[in-house]
Amino acid sequence: MIAIPDCSFNTTENRDPAAELLELSLGPQHPSTHGVFRMNAVLDGETVVRLQPVFGYLHRNHEKIAENVSYLASIPYTDRLDYLCSLTNNWAYALSVEKLTGLDVPERAEYIRIILAELTRLQNHTAFLGFLLGDMGAWGTALMYGFRQREKVLDLFESLTGSRMMSNYMRFGGCRCDFPEGWLEQARTVIDEYPEFLDEMEQLLVSNEILISRTQGVGAISPERAINAGLSGPILRATGVDYDIRKVDRYGIYDRFSFRIPIGDQGDTYDRMMMRLLEMRESLKILKAAIDEIPDGPIVNPKAKLRNLRPPEGEAYGRIESPKGELGFYLISDKQPQPYRFRVRPPSLINLTLLEEMSIGHKIADVMVILGSIDIVLGEVDR
Amino acid sequence: MTQLYQQPRINGSIQPNQEPVTDTDMSLNGTTKYHHETEVSGIADPAPANRLSSGVPDAVPETRLSARPTAGEYGNTPERRPFRLPGSGIVQGMMVTARNWFGSYFDRKRLVTVQYPEQQIRPPENSRSIPFLVYDGDDPDAGLRCVACHTCEKECPPQAISIVGERDENGKPARRPKVFDIDISVCMGCQICAEVCPFDAIKMDHYLDHSSLENFQSLILGKTRLSKSNAYFHTINSTDATAVDARLEADRKKKEAARQKRAAAK
Amino acid sequence: MLTLETIRDRILEAVPDAGVEIISNPGPSGQDSLLVSSGHGLAIALFLRDDPELRFDYCSNVTGVDWLDKTVKEKVIVREDDEDVETQVERVVPGYLEVVYHLYSISKKHGPVVLRLRTADRNEGVELPSLTPVWKSAEFQEREVLDLYGIRFTGHPDPTRLLMWENFEGHPMRKDYCAPDDDEPGDPITARERKEEAS
Ligand code: SF4
Ligand code: SF4
C-alpha cells in the first residue's frame, strides 16, 4: 500500500500569524484553457484561504439577444452556450418552447433526440477526462486519446447536422432532418468500439497512484451543501444524492430505457471523475437500445411552425439533464414573435457556487484539479 | 478546527434584523433519504397541469451503482485503494501508452491524422461553412434562382444578409436581386437561410478558406462571389442537389401543365 | 399530490398575515406561480424549505423579469352638465421588477413551485429580500439579477455585479435599456448599415 497524503486543512489555528497572505489573480486565460475564467485567490503559503471567481469575460448577453430575435433564430445561439454539448442545449430549448406551445413530438424524433443527447454525453465526458488530466499536469496524452475517440462522435454529428459542434439541429416539435444513409450503422460501430476505449482509459487512469493521490479526498463536499448550493449533474451525484432529471422528470422517452444512475459516496474529485466514466457506460446501454428500437415515421410534428411562431400567452420552465447538469430554459411569451423573457439556467455557473468551499484548505495546484472536475464551459457560465 | 473557513459565508453575514436561519434541517436526519435506489421503467403518466409532478412512480428496485464498485462489474475499475504493488498503476498506464505508440505505426485505428494540407479528408455531404447562391445553366446572372423575396434576410439570426431587389424600368419588382451581400464576418453558418428559402436558391457551401488581408469590406461577399453553379452544388452535396433538381423539375412541369390548361380553356 | 392551493394554505397557516397569491398561467404548460409579499419572503422561503412535507430544498433557477409601465384605456362615466357622459381616459399602471424562483424538492422528488417576488416600482423601491441565506444556489443568480435588472437584495452576502464590470452604468436586461452607440467614427460599415445608408 502506498501512503496517500492526508489532505488536512490548514486553518488559521495552525497558521503562522506572522506569515503574510498572498493575493493571487489566476486568469483570465490560464486555468488550463477552460476559457476566460478568473479567480482571485488568497494564499497562505501554498494553501488557499479564500477564493473568489470573477465572471463576465465572455459575456455577450445571450438572453437579451434572444429577446430581440424570433424563437427560431435563438436555436443557433443556444449552440454557443455550452459549445461542447450543442445538441443538448438545442433540446432543452426546444423542450421549453414545446411546453410553452403545447406541442407534441413524434416518436422517431424522440428517439433521434435521445440518441444524439447520449452521444453528446459520451463525447463531453470523454473530453472532460482529457481536460481533467491536463489540469493535473498530464498534459497531452489523455487529452489526445480522448479527442481521438471524441472525433468519431463528432464525425457522426457532422454528417447528420452539418457541423461538428454548432449543430442547430432540434426544432420545435421534432428535428430538422433525418439520418443520412448509413448513419445508424456508422453510429453502431462507434458505440460498439466505445467500451474498448473506456477500458483503455480506465487502465490508463483510475489505478494510477499519482492520480489517486491528487484526487481522492480533494475538494470533498457533503450532500446537504451540494443540494443547498444548487449543484446538479454528475457533481451532485458524486456526493451521494440520487437525482437525475432523466429519471425524475422522465422527459422525452427516457422511461422506456433501462439504465442506472451512478452515485458517489465521498463527493471528492475522484468520485466526480468516476461518475463520468460510469455514466458513459450507462449511456452506451441507452444508445444500443435506442438504435435497435428506433421506429420509422415523421421526424417533425406537422402542426409545428418553423417561422413566425407566436406561442400563446404564458410561461414555461423546461429542463433536461445535460452532461453538465440541469440545463433549463425559462420562457415568457406575450404572443409576440419574440419571447418576452428568455432565461437560461446555466449548470456551469451554478456548479461553481461551491468552488470556494471545495478549494479552501487545499493547495493552489489542487484548485485547478477541482475546477477541472466541476467541468465548466465558459460560454455557458458567462453567456 | 476547520470551521473557520469551511463555514458557509452566508451564515456570518445575515443582517441582524432578519430572522435567524437555521441550517439544522439541511442535514440528513434519518428521515430524509437521498438514495431512492430505483430503476424507473414503464410509460410515464404525464403530470397533470397545475399539479406538482409527484415523485418517482412504481419502481423496480435495483442496487445502487456506486462510483467505487467492486472490481469486475465494470471492466477493471478498482476499489478505493486496493492492495497492490506501489507503482503498478503507473506501469499499467505506461502499457497503454506503449500500445498506442507502437500501434500508431501500423494500426489504422490508432493512426488517425492525415498530412494536412497535402492530404485532405472530404467533408460529409451535409457539412456546412457559409451559404452560396445557386444558379442554373452557365450564366450566373440569368440563371440565379433567387427571386429577392427577403425571407432569408428576415430570418437570418445575426442579420448578415442584405438584399436589394432589382426593379424593371416601370419600377416594378423584377424578381431578381440587385444587391445580395452576406457579411461573412457576421454569418455564423447556421444554415437557417438555406432552411427557410422557399426557392432552394441558397445552399450551404463546404469552402472554408475565407481569410483576407483586410478586416471588413473584403469580408462582405457580393452577388458575384456568392453565385455558384448547380453543377458545383452537385459536386459537394449530390444527394441534396438531386432531390432539389427533381423537386424543381416537378414544380416546372406542374406550372407548365397549368399554363397549357389555361391556354386550352381560352 | 400537492396542489398549489394547499401549499398556499399551509404557508398562510405557518406564516400568518403573509400575502400569498396564486398567479395563474394561461399557457399550456400550466405552471402557476405563487406571488409572495416581499416582507415575508424570507420566512416563507424558510418554511418551504424546512416543512417536512414540502421540503423544497433545491432552488433551481432564479431570474428577474422586467414589466414596464403600461397604459390602459378605460371607459369611465363622467357627470357633465347633469348628464352621464362616457369618456375614455388613459391610466398608467406602474411597472415593476419581479424575481422568479423555481423550487424543486430533491428529497421528495417533486416540483416545480414557482415563487415570485415583486418590487414596488422600477426606480426607487427596487429592494427585495435575498433568499441566499435559505438557498445558497441563489447567490450567483441573485447577483446576476442585481447586475442585469438592478434589483437590490437586502441580506445578500456579496451584493456586487456578476457579469458586467464594476463601473458599468445601467442594467442591460431592462426592457428600456439602450445600448450606447460605441461605433467609432470611421469604423467600416457592415453590409446592413451600407444598405440603410443607401436607402
Ligand atoms: S435566397 Fe431564397 S429566401 Fe433569400 S431572397 Fe433569395 S429566394 Fe428569397
Ligand atoms: S448561415 Fe445563418 S448567419 Fe449565415 S447568412 Fe445564413 S442565416 Fe445568416
Side-chain angles (χ1 to χ4, degrees):
Chain A
M1 282 271 248
I2 53 160
I4 309 276
D6 178 25
C7 301
S8 60
F9 293 106
N10 187 356
T11 62
T12 38
E13 274 148 58
N14 48 24
R15 194 162 74 78
D16 178 6
E20 258 182 62
L21 292 180
L22 174 73
E23 273 191 50
L24 187 67
S25 171
L26 292 132
Q29 284 292 354
H30 166 247
S32 298
T33 62
H34 277 288
V36 276
F37 184 58
R38 186 174 138 211
M39 298 180 273
N40 279 338
V42 178
L43 303 181
D44 169 19
E46 268 196 84
T47 310
V48 178
V49 295
R50 215 165 39 240
L51 185 128
Q52 203 186 18
V54 183
F55 304 101
Y57 291 93
L58 206 58
H59 181 56
R60 56 215 182 264
N61 218 338
H62 166 67
E63 295 176 5
K64 187 87 177 176
I65 295 172
E67 283 171 22
N68 287 319
V69 296
S70 69
Y71 282 87
L72 170 69
S74 287
I75 297 180
Y77 288 118
T78 61
D79 291 342
R80 285 140 178 94
L81 285 171
D82 172 357
Y83 38 76
L84 291 178
C85 318
S86 60
L87 283 156
T88 45
N89 299 347
N90 284 179
W91 191 3
Y93 176 53
L95 189 84
S96 306
V97 175
E98 281 151 16
K99 276 195 177 174
L100 194 66
T101 49
L103 266 180
D104 290 333
V105 182
E107 181 139 327
R108 183 175 172 84
E110 293 278 24
Y111 273 93
I112 296 179
R113 286 180 175 190
I114 284 196
I115 291 172
L116 292 176
E118 294 307 319
L119 280 173
T120 305
R121 200 179 313 278
L122 271 185
Q123 59 94 1
N124 176 71
H125 289 354
T126 308
F128 159 84
L129 285 177
F131 286 132
L132 181 71
L133 267 285
D135 290 338
M136 268 175 233
W139 191 226
T141 308
L143 184 69
M144 286 305 137
Y145 292 177
F147 269 27
R148 190 178 61 194
Q149 193 66 24
R150 175 172 171 260
E151 201 63 24
K152 294 177 183 155
V153 181
L154 293 187
D155 282 348
L156 285 175
F157 287 171
E158 187 176 9
S159 64
L160 173 61
T161 72
S163 180
R164 287 150 35 91
M165 288 161 88
M166 302 297 140
S167 54
N168 180 19
Y169 180 69
M170 311 264 175
R171 290 289 178 266
F172 317 128
C175 303
R176 198 182 76 217
C177 53
D178 211 330
F179 297 129
E181 225 180 283
W183 194 90
L184 280 172
E185 285 66 50
Q186 201 190 338
R188 195 171 281 136
T189 335
V190 171
I191 291 159
D192 287 343
E193 280 174 4
Y194 232 93
E196 198 187 321
F197 161 76
L198 291 179
D199 287 345
E200 198 175 285
M201 215 56 177
E202 280 177 8
Q203 195 188 347
L204 179 71
L205 301 180
V206 292
S207 56
N208 188 309
E209 284 81 359
I210 303 171
L211 182 128
I212 286 178
S213 62
R214 296 265 340 244
T215 53
Q216 289 194 351
V218 174
I221 34 171
S222 68
E224 303 83 55
R225 290 304 293 158
I227 291 172
N228 195 243
L231 305 195
S232 53
I235 75 166
L236 173 68
R237 294 191 286 276
T239 64
V241 180
D242 185 359
Y243 196 75
D244 188 307
I245 300 170
R246 287 177 293 173
K247 292 273 190 193
V248 177
D249 279 14
R250 292 167 291 148
Y251 61 93
I253 48 167
Y254 269 114
D255 43 12
R256 298 195 196 169
F257 298 97
S258 152
F259 61 102
R260 293 189 293 170
I261 305 300
I263 287 179
D265 49 13
Q266 319 257 327
D268 56 7
T269 307
Y270 183 81
D271 274 6
R272 289 195 279 272
M273 184 189 84
M274 290 305 296
M275 213 49 45
R276 269 80 176 207
L277 268 170
L278 295 176
E279 251 177 36
M280 281 196 265
R281 305 242 183 208
E282 295 299 315
S283 289
L284 289 174
K285 271 197 214 165
I286 303 178
L287 278 168
K288 275 210 188 93
I291 288 184
D292 286 342
E293 288 165 17
I294 184 164
D296 281 335
I299 52 156
V300 68
N301 186 338
K303 270 190 273 165
K305 271 174 97 181
L306 185 63
R307 300 175 49 213
N308 297 326
L309 177 76
R310 286 167 190 252
E313 219 167 291
E315 61 173 58
Y317 179 67
R319 56 175 197 162
I320 68 164
E321 179 78 30
S322 93
K324 305 267 188 318
E326 175 187 336
L327 175 67
F329 281 82
Y330 173 60
L331 302 167
I332 301 182
S333 158
D334 60 346
K335 266 193 171 158
Q336 293 301 309
Q338 301 91 16
Y340 186 80
R341 178 76 181 103
F342 177 103
R343 150 86 180 163
V344 191
R345 186 232 188 244
S348 294
L349 171 71
I350 297 161
N351 286 352
L352 284 173
T353 309
L354 283 191
L355 180 66
E356 178 173 23
E357 269 175 49
M358 288 181 198
S359 309
I360 280 171
H362 290 293
K363 301 273 184 280
I364 185 73
D366 289 333
V367 174
M368 298 301 127
V369 185
I370 292 170
L371 179 71
S373 75
I374 297 176
D375 191 14
I376 57 164
V377 159
L378 263 289
E380 187 175 80
V381 172
D382 289 342
R383 280 160 296 134
Chain B
M1 155 196 122
T2 62
Q3 282 312 302
L4 201 111
Y5 289 115
Q6 284 291 293
Q7 233 169 32
R9 274 186 307 174
I10 50 169
N11 284 354
S13 50
I14 296 171
Q15 308 297 309
N17 60 350
Q18 282 176 3
E19 302 174 56
V21 175
T22 53
D23 221 6
T24 48
D25 201 35
M26 285 317 292
S27 62
L28 292 165
N29 46 15
T31 53
T32 324
K33 204 151 174 293
Y34 284 114
H35 316 306
H36 68 86
E37 303 188 357
T38 52
E39 169 85 0
V40 181
S41 61
I43 309 296
D45 51 330
N50 200 6
R51 298 263 146 139
L52 308 176
S53 57
S54 89
V56 179
D58 298 338
V60 188
E62 197 185 321
T63 42
R64 185 160 65 102
L65 172 58
S66 169
R68 298 177 168 117
T70 45
E73 191 190 4
Y74 274 99
N76 28 27
T77 311
E79 288 177 279
R80 192 180 178 86
R81 300 185 202 171
F83 176 78
R84 57 163 190 275
L85 226 55
S88 64
I90 294 177
V91 173
Q92 269 192 28
M94 297 279 226
M95 271 154 61
V96 174
T97 43
R99 208 159 53 229
N100 275 285
W101 181 38
F102 292 117
S104 70
Y105 283 97
F106 42 81
D107 187 354
R108 280 310 305 178
K109 232 170 63 198
R110 301 194 195 277
L111 175 66
V112 288
T113 48
V114 295
Q115 298 293 331
Y116 189 85
E118 285 83 24
Q119 279 176 347
Q120 293 193 13
I121 298 176
R122 210 184 129 82
E125 285 193 338
N126 277 337
S127 178
R128 60 178 200 250
S129 59
I130 64 149
F132 71 98
L133 296 171
V134 191
Y135 64 84
D136 295 313
D138 301 325
D139 185 359
D141 238 9
L144 210 60
R145 286 181 190 165
C146 175
V147 298
C149 70
H150 297 268
T151 309
C152 55
E153 187 186 28
K154 277 186 214 119
E155 293 297 323
C156 171
Q159 310 195 326
I161 305 178
S162 113
I163 301 169
V164 179
E166 183 96 85
R167 289 180 182 268
D168 58 16
E169 50 282 11
N170 303 330
K172 283 220 308 238
R175 288 172 65 82
R176 224 153 17 91
K178 187 160 87 187
V179 180
F180 196 114
D181 286 347
I182 294 184
D183 189 340
I184 61 164
S185 63
V186 174
C187 169
M188 56 178 171
C190 66
Q191 69 86 264
I192 279 185
C193 48
E195 195 180 347
V196 298
C197 175
F199 301 94
D200 287 306
I202 188 163
K203 291 287 168 190
M204 299 308 288
D205 205 345
H206 286 184
Y207 184 70
L208 286 167
D209 310 332
H210 287 290
S211 48
S212 83
L213 287 174
E214 191 259 343
N215 273 356
F216 294 94
Q217 281 306 332
S218 59
L219 290 175
I220 300 179
L221 302 192
K223 198 168 65 170
T224 36
R225 277 186 71 187
L226 286 172
S227 304
K228 292 187 178 171
S229 69
N230 193 22
Y232 172 78
F233 185 33
H234 270 278
T235 62
I236 61 167
N237 188 348
S238 71
T239 318
D240 193 18
T242 319
V244 166
D245 280 358
R247 199 157 58 225
L248 292 179
E249 185 63 29
D251 270 5
R252 208 181 50 76
K253 280 215 183 102
K254 227 198 280 169
K255 261 191 207 144
E256 186 74 4
R259 206 172 53 88
Q260 273 170 8
K261 219 163 128 196
R262 244 179 297 137
K266 249 183 218 168
Chain C
M1 195 77 90
L2 280 161
T3 60
L4 220 50
E5 286 80 23
T6 46
I7 294 181
R8 178 194 56 190
D9 297 342
R10 300 198 50 162
I11 292 176
L12 288 176
E13 230 172 81
V15 191
D17 59 71
V20 186
E21 200 184 311
I22 293 182
I23 308 273
S24 73
N25 178 358
S29 77
Q31 292 169 345
D32 295 350
S33 45
L34 285 176
L35 176 66
V36 165
S37 62
S38 58
H40 295 85
L42 201 67
I44 291 170
L46 257 180
F47 168 75
L48 286 175
R49 190 193 74 183
D50 292 342
D51 182 70
E53 236 178 86
L54 303 178
R55 288 292 284 145
F56 286 104
D57 47 11
Y58 188 78
C59 174
S60 161
N61 180 35
V62 182
T63 185
V65 188
D66 181 13
W67 299 98
L68 289 173
D69 298 352
K70 262 190 295 197
T71 27
V72 282
K73 285 193 180 140
E74 277 179 345
K75 287 214 171 107
V76 286
I77 296 164
V78 188
R79 209 163 170 81
E80 235 174 62
D81 306 335
D82 290 341
E83 240 181 283
D84 283 348
V85 188
E86 215 182 51
T87 47
Q88 240 186 15
V89 287
E90 284 189 357
R91 193 165 58 87
V92 178
V93 179
Y96 48 85
L97 301 168
E98 195 173 57
V99 191
V100 185
Y101 296 82
H102 283 84
L103 310 178
Y104 285 88
S105 167
I106 284 188
S107 53
K108 297 271 180 218
K109 303 257 185 314
H110 57 213
V113 154
V114 189
L115 213 63
R116 312 181 97 92
L117 274 79
R118 283 180 187 167
T119 61
D121 56 37
R122 300 179 66 250
N123 309 316
E124 297 305 315
V126 287
E127 289 215 346
L128 284 179
S130 163
L131 300 190
T132 305
V134 185
W135 296 287
K136 192 174 164 66
S137 56
E139 183 180 349
F140 286 164
Q141 303 187 70
E142 278 180 354
R143 271 177 70 190
E144 189 185 323
V145 174
L146 174 145
D147 186 353
L148 303 180
Y149 282 95
I151 297 176
R152 282 196 299 277
F153 288 99
T154 46
H156 193 282
D158 181 19
T160 50
R161 282 183 180 270
L162 183 83
L163 296 168
M164 310 304 284
W165 55 98
E166 249 168 67
N167 303 325
F168 184 81
E169 271 179 32
H171 304 289
M173 280 303 284
R174 288 207 184 181
K175 289 277 170 189
D176 52 2
Y177 175 81
C178 289
D181 182 10
D182 49 8
D183 275 8
E184 276 159 33
D187 253 6
I189 49 176
T190 61
R192 177 156 287 261
E193 282 169 341
R194 197 164 71 183
K195 185 182 156 194
E196 273 160 15
E197 230 161 65
S199 63

